[in-house]
Amino acid sequence: CYCLDSSGNRKTAVELLGKAFSYISPSVDLRLIYGVLLYRQQNFDEALSQFRIALEESPDDWRAYKNMGMIYKKRGIKDFADKYFSRAAQFKPS
């Protein structure tokens, strides 16, 4: 997916992952990848949804918290961004 994204085919990468979720039970890592690609497309609501699902499956995954913080920062919602960045720091391995 990142190969497609870096070659300028982000839309294709997002579509393929979205379709794949109909056939497989995606891992947390795959959800995070999908969320990041959606974020890069500026599809913030769907990206947040993917990160929330990742947290339901793995509540201490610092990457999901960090990515959510990035979205809220981009949207100018500082309180939420700080909350999620703080949570990410809490769970990130040293």
Side-chain angles (χ1 to χ4, degrees):
C1 291
Y2 281 129
C3 292
L4 283 171
D5 181 45
S6 62
S7 69
N9 292 308
R10 179 174 301 142
K11 183 178 177 184
T12 302
V14 169
E15 288 173 3
L16 287 173
L17 273 176
K19 289 179 183 178
F21 289 3
S22 302
Y23 300 100
I24 61 168
S25 178
S27 67
V28 170
D29 290 333
L30 200 53
R31 288 220 181 262
L32 292 172
I33 290 167
Y34 188 47
V36 168
L37 291 174
L38 290 164
Y39 169 83
R40 290 179 181 171
Q41 279 190 317
Q42 311 251 334
N43 188 346
F44 301 133
D45 291 335
E46 186 60 31
L48 282 171
S49 175
Q50 292 302 312
F51 298 141
R52 284 187 189 110
I53 293 169
L55 286 173
E56 287 174 12
E57 296 172 10
S58 182
D60 59 351
D61 194 306
W62 69 273
R63 301 167 300 171
Y65 289 111
K66 178 183 167 257
N67 289 329
M68 291 175 80
M70 297 291 289
I71 291 173
Y72 287 118
K73 180 179 178 183
K74 181 90 171 170
R75 286 185 159 176
I77 307 172
K78 186 179 179 341
D79 292 345
F80 273 46
D82 291 345
K83 172 184 161 187
Y84 285 103
F85 286 139
S86 175
R87 202 76 167 139
Q90 179 184 359
F91 289 111
K92 186 175 181 180
S94 301

